[in-house]
Amino acid sequence: MEKLGFIDRFLTLWILLCMVAGVLIGYYVPDVNKKLGSSRFADVNIPMAVGLIWMMYPILCKVRYEILHKILNQKAIWKYIAFSLIINWIIAPLVMVALGWMTLPDMVEYRSGLVLVGTARCIAMVLVWNRLAGGDEEFCAIIVAINSILQIALYGPMSYFFVVILSKGTKMGISIWPVVQSVLIFLGIPLVAAVITRFTLHRIAPNFFNKIFLPFIAPTSLLALLFVIIVMFASQGREIIVNIRSVLRVIVPLILYFVIMFFSVLAFCYYKCIPYKITSVQSFTAASNNFELAIAVAASVYGESSKESMAATIGPLVEVPVLLIFVKVILMVKKKWYNAKVESCGCVDD
C-alpha cells in the first residue's frame, strides 16, 4: 500500500464517488444527455471518446514493443493465445446467451443488447484492470491487438449469429463500418501515439522517459478512467433511475457473467500452474467487454433510445465496480496461495 500512489490507493472510493456523482448529474441536470451527445465522435460523445483514448495511452506507453518479437517466439505464448481466443470468441458469448435465456426470457430487446455486450471482446479497460493487478502488460497488449483485428472480421457475423439465431433476439443488420471505426479510433489512436512516443522519446532520452515521463503520465490513465465513469453514468443517470426495475433485471445476468468467466479462468490457470502474470491477463480478458463497441453498434442498429442500447449501456456500469473488486480478489489470491502454488509446480513467474 505504501508504494501505491494516492489515486491507486483509494481507487475504489474514487470510482464509487464518481458513479454516484454521475447518476446525480444525469438525474438532476436537465438535458445533460443531450448536451453530452450534441457533439459525437465515432458514435460516442466527445468527452467519453477523449477519456477512452487517453485512458489507454499511458498504459500502452509502458509496453516494451521492442521485445514483443522475442515474446512471440516463445512456444508457450502461442498456447496462451489459443486458450484466450477459445475463451473470448466461443465460450464467453455462449455463456452470455445462456444467461440471457435463463434470466431474461420475457425481455427480448434487453437480451439482445446483453448478447451484443458479451460478443464484443475488450480492447480498452482490460489494460487498466491488468495493470492494477500486476499482470503481464506485453502479453496483454498482444491479446488486445489480436482481439481488435478479429473484431473487424468477426463481430458483425458473430453478433448476428448469437443475437438473432441463438438468442432469438430482435432482427439486426450490422454494418462493418461501426466495428472498424471503433477499433481504429479507440485502439488505433492511443496505440500509434504510444508507439511513436516510445520509439522516439525512449531512444532520445531513455532516463527521462523511464524516470520522469512515465511516472508523470501513469496516474493520468486512472484520472481518465474516473472521468469516463462520470460521463458514462451522467449520460444514463436518468434512465437508470426511471427504469430501475429493468436495470436491476439486466444487472443479474451481467454479474453472473463476470463472476463465471473470471473465476472459472482463474481456477483453471491456478490448477494448471500458469504463471500469475499470464493468469491475470487471461482472467480479465475473459471477463471484460468492449462496451464502447457494443453501445455504438446497438445505437446505430436499433437507435439510441432503444432497449437494446439501454442494456448495452448497463454493461460497463456493472463491469467497472465488479472488475475493480476482482482486482482486489486476484491480488489477495496471489498473496495467499498463488505464488506457493506456482513454486510447487516448478514454474517461474517472471
Side-chain angles (χ1 to χ4, degrees), residues 216-247:
F216 175 75
I217 68 164
T220 65
S221 175
L222 295 181
L223 290 175
L225 170 64
L226 297 177
F227 174 74
V228 167
I229 290 170
I230 292 177
V231 174
M232 189 164 53
F233 275 74
S235 300
Q236 297 295 330
R238 176 166 290 276
E239 285 73 15
I240 291 172
I241 294 175
V242 172
N243 301 295
I244 190 63
R245 289 187 177 181
S246 299
V247 169

Short mmCIF file of all heavy atoms in Angstrom, two decimals, residues 216-247:
data_model
loop_
_atom_site.label_atom_id
_atom_site.label_comp_id
_atom_site.label_asym_id
_atom_site.label_seq_id
_atom_site.Cartn_x
_atom_site.Cartn_y
_atom_site.Cartn_z
N PHE A 216 5.08 10.42 -14.59
CA PHE A 216 4.21 11.60 -14.64
C PHE A 216 2.86 11.28 -15.30
O PHE A 216 1.81 11.69 -14.81
CB PHE A 216 4.89 12.73 -15.41
CG PHE A 216 4.02 13.95 -15.60
CD1 PHE A 216 3.77 14.81 -14.54
CD2 PHE A 216 3.42 14.20 -16.83
CE1 PHE A 216 2.94 15.92 -14.71
CE2 PHE A 216 2.60 15.31 -17.01
CZ PHE A 216 2.36 16.17 -15.94
N ILE A 217 2.89 10.53 -16.43
CA ILE A 217 1.64 10.29 -17.15
C ILE A 217 0.88 9.07 -16.64
O ILE A 217 -0.31 8.94 -16.91
CB ILE A 217 1.87 10.16 -18.67
CG1 ILE A 217 2.65 8.87 -18.98
CG2 ILE A 217 2.55 11.38 -19.24
CD1 ILE A 217 2.58 8.48 -20.45
N ALA A 218 1.56 8.17 -15.93
CA ALA A 218 0.89 6.93 -15.48
C ALA A 218 -0.38 7.20 -14.69
O ALA A 218 -1.42 6.57 -14.95
CB ALA A 218 1.87 6.07 -14.67
N PRO A 219 -0.39 8.11 -13.70
CA PRO A 219 -1.63 8.35 -12.93
C PRO A 219 -2.75 8.94 -13.77
O PRO A 219 -3.92 8.82 -13.40
CB PRO A 219 -1.18 9.33 -11.83
CG PRO A 219 0.30 9.20 -11.76
CD PRO A 219 0.73 8.89 -13.16
N THR A 220 -2.41 9.58 -14.90
CA THR A 220 -3.46 10.20 -15.71
C THR A 220 -4.37 9.17 -16.35
O THR A 220 -5.50 9.48 -16.74
CB THR A 220 -2.85 11.11 -16.80
OG1 THR A 220 -2.10 10.30 -17.73
CG2 THR A 220 -1.94 12.15 -16.19
N SER A 221 -3.90 7.91 -16.47
CA SER A 221 -4.75 6.86 -17.01
C SER A 221 -5.95 6.62 -16.09
O SER A 221 -7.09 6.49 -16.56
CB SER A 221 -3.94 5.57 -17.17
OG SER A 221 -4.77 4.51 -17.59
N LEU A 222 -5.69 6.57 -14.78
CA LEU A 222 -6.80 6.37 -13.83
C LEU A 222 -7.67 7.61 -13.73
O LEU A 222 -8.88 7.52 -13.51
CB LEU A 222 -6.24 5.98 -12.46
CG LEU A 222 -5.51 4.64 -12.41
CD1 LEU A 222 -5.02 4.35 -11.00
CD2 LEU A 222 -6.41 3.51 -12.90
N LEU A 223 -7.08 8.79 -13.87
CA LEU A 223 -7.88 10.01 -13.89
C LEU A 223 -8.83 10.00 -15.09
O LEU A 223 -10.00 10.40 -14.98
CB LEU A 223 -6.97 11.24 -13.96
CG LEU A 223 -6.16 11.56 -12.70
CD1 LEU A 223 -5.20 12.73 -12.96
CD2 LEU A 223 -7.08 11.88 -11.52
N ALA A 224 -8.33 9.52 -16.23
CA ALA A 224 -9.19 9.40 -17.42
C ALA A 224 -10.30 8.38 -17.18
O ALA A 224 -11.44 8.57 -17.60
CB ALA A 224 -8.36 9.01 -18.63
N LEU A 225 -9.97 7.28 -16.48
CA LEU A 225 -10.97 6.28 -16.13
C LEU A 225 -12.08 6.89 -15.28
O LEU A 225 -13.27 6.68 -15.53
CB LEU A 225 -10.32 5.12 -15.40
CG LEU A 225 -11.26 4.09 -14.76
CD1 LEU A 225 -12.06 3.36 -15.82
CD2 LEU A 225 -10.49 3.10 -13.90
N LEU A 226 -11.71 7.67 -14.28
CA LEU A 226 -12.69 8.32 -13.40
C LEU A 226 -13.55 9.30 -14.19
O LEU A 226 -14.77 9.39 -13.98
CB LEU A 226 -11.98 9.03 -12.26
CG LEU A 226 -11.18 8.13 -11.30
CD1 LEU A 226 -10.46 8.98 -10.25
CD2 LEU A 226 -12.10 7.12 -10.61
N PHE A 227 -12.93 10.03 -15.12
CA PHE A 227 -13.67 10.96 -15.96
C PHE A 227 -14.67 10.22 -16.84
O PHE A 227 -15.83 10.64 -16.96
CB PHE A 227 -12.68 11.75 -16.83
CG PHE A 227 -13.34 12.64 -17.84
CD1 PHE A 227 -13.94 13.82 -17.44
CD2 PHE A 227 -13.37 12.31 -19.18
CE1 PHE A 227 -14.56 14.66 -18.37
CE2 PHE A 227 -13.98 13.12 -20.12
CZ PHE A 227 -14.58 14.30 -19.71
N VAL A 228 -14.25 9.09 -17.43
CA VAL A 228 -15.15 8.29 -18.27
C VAL A 228 -16.33 7.79 -17.45
O VAL A 228 -17.47 7.78 -17.93
CB VAL A 228 -14.37 7.10 -18.90
CG1 VAL A 228 -15.34 6.08 -19.49
CG2 VAL A 228 -13.42 7.60 -19.97
N ILE A 229 -16.08 7.37 -16.21
CA ILE A 229 -17.15 6.87 -15.36
C ILE A 229 -18.19 7.95 -15.08
O ILE A 229 -19.40 7.71 -15.14
CB ILE A 229 -16.57 6.32 -14.04
CG1 ILE A 229 -15.79 5.03 -14.32
CG2 ILE A 229 -17.67 6.04 -13.01
CD1 ILE A 229 -14.98 4.54 -13.14
N ILE A 230 -17.73 9.17 -14.78
CA ILE A 230 -18.66 10.27 -14.53
C ILE A 230 -19.52 10.54 -15.76
O ILE A 230 -20.74 10.66 -15.68
CB ILE A 230 -17.89 11.54 -14.11
CG1 ILE A 230 -17.26 11.36 -12.74
CG2 ILE A 230 -18.83 12.75 -14.09
CD1 ILE A 230 -16.42 12.53 -12.29
N VAL A 231 -18.86 10.64 -16.93
CA VAL A 231 -19.59 10.92 -18.17
C VAL A 231 -20.56 9.80 -18.49
O VAL A 231 -21.72 10.03 -18.87
CB VAL A 231 -18.59 11.12 -19.33
CG1 VAL A 231 -19.35 11.27 -20.66
CG2 VAL A 231 -17.72 12.34 -19.09
N MET A 232 -20.11 8.55 -18.32
CA MET A 232 -20.93 7.39 -18.63
C MET A 232 -22.18 7.34 -17.77
O MET A 232 -23.30 7.13 -18.25
CB MET A 232 -20.08 6.14 -18.43
CG MET A 232 -20.67 4.85 -18.91
SD MET A 232 -19.40 3.56 -19.05
CE MET A 232 -18.68 3.62 -17.41
N PHE A 233 -22.01 7.53 -16.47
CA PHE A 233 -23.16 7.48 -15.55
C PHE A 233 -24.05 8.70 -15.71
O PHE A 233 -25.26 8.60 -15.54
CB PHE A 233 -22.66 7.34 -14.11
CG PHE A 233 -22.36 5.93 -13.70
CD1 PHE A 233 -21.23 5.29 -14.17
CD2 PHE A 233 -23.22 5.23 -12.87
CE1 PHE A 233 -20.95 3.98 -13.81
CE2 PHE A 233 -22.96 3.93 -12.51
CZ PHE A 233 -21.81 3.30 -12.98
N ALA A 234 -23.45 9.86 -16.02
CA ALA A 234 -24.25 11.06 -16.23
C ALA A 234 -25.13 10.91 -17.48
O ALA A 234 -26.27 11.36 -17.50
CB ALA A 234 -23.35 12.28 -16.37
N SER A 235 -24.59 10.26 -18.51
CA SER A 235 -25.34 10.07 -19.75
C SER A 235 -26.57 9.20 -19.54
O SER A 235 -27.58 9.35 -20.23
CB SER A 235 -24.44 9.43 -20.82
OG SER A 235 -23.33 10.25 -21.09
N GLN A 236 -26.50 8.26 -18.59
CA GLN A 236 -27.59 7.32 -18.39
C GLN A 236 -28.23 7.43 -17.01
O GLN A 236 -29.04 6.57 -16.64
CB GLN A 236 -27.07 5.89 -18.58
CG GLN A 236 -26.57 5.60 -19.98
CD GLN A 236 -27.69 5.65 -21.02
OE1 GLN A 236 -28.84 5.36 -20.72
NE2 GLN A 236 -27.33 6.03 -22.23
N GLY A 237 -27.87 8.46 -16.25
CA GLY A 237 -28.35 8.60 -14.88
C GLY A 237 -29.86 8.59 -14.76
O GLY A 237 -30.44 7.87 -13.94
N ARG A 238 -30.53 9.40 -15.58
CA ARG A 238 -31.99 9.49 -15.51
C ARG A 238 -32.64 8.17 -15.93
O ARG A 238 -33.59 7.71 -15.28
CB ARG A 238 -32.49 10.64 -16.40
CG ARG A 238 -34.02 10.77 -16.47
CD ARG A 238 -34.43 12.09 -17.05
NE ARG A 238 -34.14 13.17 -16.12
CZ ARG A 238 -34.93 13.54 -15.13
NH1 ARG A 238 -36.08 12.90 -14.94
NH2 ARG A 238 -34.61 14.54 -14.35
N GLU A 239 -32.13 7.57 -17.01
CA GLU A 239 -32.70 6.30 -17.48
C GLU A 239 -32.53 5.21 -16.44
O GLU A 239 -33.40 4.34 -16.29
CB GLU A 239 -32.04 5.88 -18.80
CG GLU A 239 -32.49 6.68 -20.02
CD GLU A 239 -31.93 8.08 -20.04
OE1 GLU A 239 -30.98 8.35 -19.26
OE2 GLU A 239 -32.45 8.92 -20.81
N ILE A 240 -31.41 5.21 -15.73
CA ILE A 240 -31.16 4.20 -14.70
C ILE A 240 -32.21 4.30 -13.60
O ILE A 240 -32.77 3.29 -13.15
CB ILE A 240 -29.74 4.37 -14.11
CG1 ILE A 240 -28.69 3.97 -15.16
CG2 ILE A 240 -29.57 3.51 -12.85
CD1 ILE A 240 -27.28 4.28 -14.73
N ILE A 241 -32.48 5.52 -13.15
CA ILE A 241 -33.43 5.70 -12.05
C ILE A 241 -34.86 5.47 -12.51
O ILE A 241 -35.66 4.82 -11.82
CB ILE A 241 -33.27 7.12 -11.45
CG1 ILE A 241 -31.88 7.25 -10.78
CG2 ILE A 241 -34.37 7.41 -10.43
CD1 ILE A 241 -31.56 8.62 -10.27
N VAL A 242 -35.21 5.98 -13.70
CA VAL A 242 -36.58 5.83 -14.20
C VAL A 242 -36.91 4.37 -14.50
O VAL A 242 -38.02 3.89 -14.23
CB VAL A 242 -36.79 6.71 -15.46
CG1 VAL A 242 -38.14 6.40 -16.10
CG2 VAL A 242 -36.70 8.19 -15.09
N ASN A 243 -35.94 3.65 -15.07
CA ASN A 243 -36.17 2.25 -15.46
C ASN A 243 -35.45 1.31 -14.51
O ASN A 243 -34.86 0.31 -14.94
CB ASN A 243 -35.66 2.02 -16.89
CG ASN A 243 -36.34 2.92 -17.90
OD1 ASN A 243 -37.53 2.81 -18.14
ND2 ASN A 243 -35.57 3.81 -18.50
N ILE A 244 -35.50 1.61 -13.22
CA ILE A 244 -34.70 0.88 -12.25
C ILE A 244 -35.03 -0.62 -12.22
O ILE A 244 -34.15 -1.46 -12.03
CB ILE A 244 -34.86 1.50 -10.83
CG1 ILE A 244 -33.84 0.90 -9.87
CG2 ILE A 244 -36.28 1.35 -10.34
CD1 ILE A 244 -32.41 1.17 -10.23
N ARG A 245 -36.30 -0.99 -12.43
CA ARG A 245 -36.67 -2.41 -12.38
C ARG A 245 -36.02 -3.19 -13.53
O ARG A 245 -35.48 -4.28 -13.32
CB ARG A 245 -38.19 -2.56 -12.45
CG ARG A 245 -38.91 -2.13 -11.17
CD ARG A 245 -40.38 -2.46 -11.25
NE ARG A 245 -41.06 -2.09 -10.00
CZ ARG A 245 -42.36 -2.29 -9.78
NH1 ARG A 245 -43.12 -2.87 -10.72
NH2 ARG A 245 -42.91 -1.93 -8.65
N SER A 246 -36.09 -2.62 -14.72
CA SER A 246 -35.46 -3.28 -15.87
C SER A 246 -33.95 -3.31 -15.71
O SER A 246 -33.29 -4.31 -16.05
CB SER A 246 -35.83 -2.54 -17.16
OG SER A 246 -37.22 -2.57 -17.38
N VAL A 247 -33.39 -2.23 -15.18
CA VAL A 247 -31.94 -2.17 -14.96
C VAL A 247 -31.50 -3.27 -14.00
O VAL A 247 -30.51 -3.97 -14.24
CB VAL A 247 -31.53 -0.79 -14.41
CG1 VAL A 247 -30.09 -0.80 -13.91
CG2 VAL A 247 -31.70 0.28 -15.48
#
